[in-house]
Amino acid sequence: MAAVTVAAAFLIGDDGSGSDGPRPLTADEASRLAMTRFRNYQAQGRAVTITVPGTAGELTVTASVDYRRKVGYGVVHGTGRARSSDGLIRWTPTSVRVRPMADAPAHAPASPPGPGWHERPLLSSGSALDTSLSIALGLGGDRPDNAELLAQNGAAWWGRERVDGRRLDIMAGPSSPDRSGTAGNVRYWIDSQGTMYRVRVSVESQPEPVVIDFGTHPYVPVKPLPTATGGR
């Protein structure tokens, strides 16, 4: 799966959730796991809450991700750390734009403000935040994955859990194509239709996994930045 490929360089072992597995996927489970990133693409975009661990404190990104255009936009809040990271954020697979705010709102304004944005490259290593942003963008694909290959490469069923009243299957992703032994490092919480509601990925050097929750707030279409900022 592309999401696993995006994250492979940052993964370490994950102790999982639930105690009923692991076991091989059934044909139905493999089909749902193969469809789950495509479901996000079909939906155009999803509302996400990304929880990023860190020794200096936690970051929470409350955002919308457009899976057709591969762009995210939201607001960052820090917990147990200096608030210098708080503010608006917008990212693509190659760049991050931030707009610091002393009193960042709970949700980003639907129309991004014009001045005050700072742009930098999205880092491929060394930043738990950037890794998390990359993973979030990778959770959408323009076609289903190959269900047979998922099962052959170590994808597995781990258990069931209720999340916000939904009964979800917990499935572990397969090994990365370029890195053996990584099966199970990404966990997906998926409903009976193949829609994902939670993803958990362990990130190297961080004490806790990155957690991405879907549908925690209304999805707001991602609008372009005002042209004065040079935004997309």
Side-chain angles (χ1 to χ4, degrees):
M1 296 178 77
V4 175
T5 303
V6 167
F10 309 99
L11 297 178
I12 57 175
D14 186 349
D15 63 3
S17 177
S19 58
D20 297 325
R23 63 160 172 73
L25 297 176
T26 65
D28 171 72
E29 290 160 357
S31 177
R32 283 188 282 142
L33 184 59
M35 285 293 295
T36 195
R37 294 191 315 112
F38 185 55
R39 294 285 190 215
N40 283 345
Y41 184 85
Q42 287 180 311
Q44 175 76 41
R46 301 284 305 276
V48 301
T49 298
I50 307 169
T51 304
V52 184
T55 54
E58 192 173 83
L59 289 175
T60 301
V61 182
T62 306
S64 291
V65 175
D66 185 325
Y67 285 107
R68 301 286 180 89
R69 295 167 54 222
K70 293 294 184 182
V71 58
Y73 166 64
V75 62
V76 181
H77 290 97
T79 302
R81 59 188 295 157
R83 301 185 65 180
S84 58
S85 299
D86 289 12
L88 302 181
I89 188 167
R90 180 184 174 90
W91 73 99
T92 71
T94 59
S95 67
V96 178
R97 290 182 173 93
V98 295
R99 187 180 188 275
M101 299 177 73
D103 295 303
H107 301 280
S111 295
W117 292 90
H118 306 279
E119 183 176 5
R120 61 171 177 80
L122 186 143
L123 300 176
S124 60
S125 63
S127 167
L129 174 61
D130 285 19
T131 299
S132 303
L133 299 177
S134 292
I135 292 169
L137 288 182
L139 294 174
D142 62 2
R143 63 193 62 131
D145 292 296
N146 187 311
E148 292 186 6
L149 289 179
L150 294 180
Q152 292 172 9
N153 291 325
W157 181 90
W158 276 81
R160 292 191 178 92
E161 188 175 21
R162 285 195 177 274
V163 176
D164 295 330
R166 298 182 180 91
R167 187 169 180 266
L168 305 176
D169 286 290
I170 305 168
M171 300 185 199
S175 289
S176 170
D178 57 358
R179 190 173 179 184
S180 63
T182 55
N185 285 333
V186 183
R187 301 286 167 85
Y188 302 87
W189 278 247
I190 300 173
D191 74 4
S192 60
Q193 304 302 311
T195 300
M196 69 174 72
Y197 285 94
R198 175 173 292 166
V199 174
R200 190 173 72 179
V201 186
S202 289
V203 177
E204 221 166 56
S205 79
Q206 298 302 325
E208 299 293 337
V210 170
V211 178
I212 302 173
D213 285 303
F214 291 84
T216 53
H217 52 280
Y219 172 73
V220 178
V222 180
K223 296 183 179 180
L225 293 180
T227 55
T229 66
R232 179 173 166 179

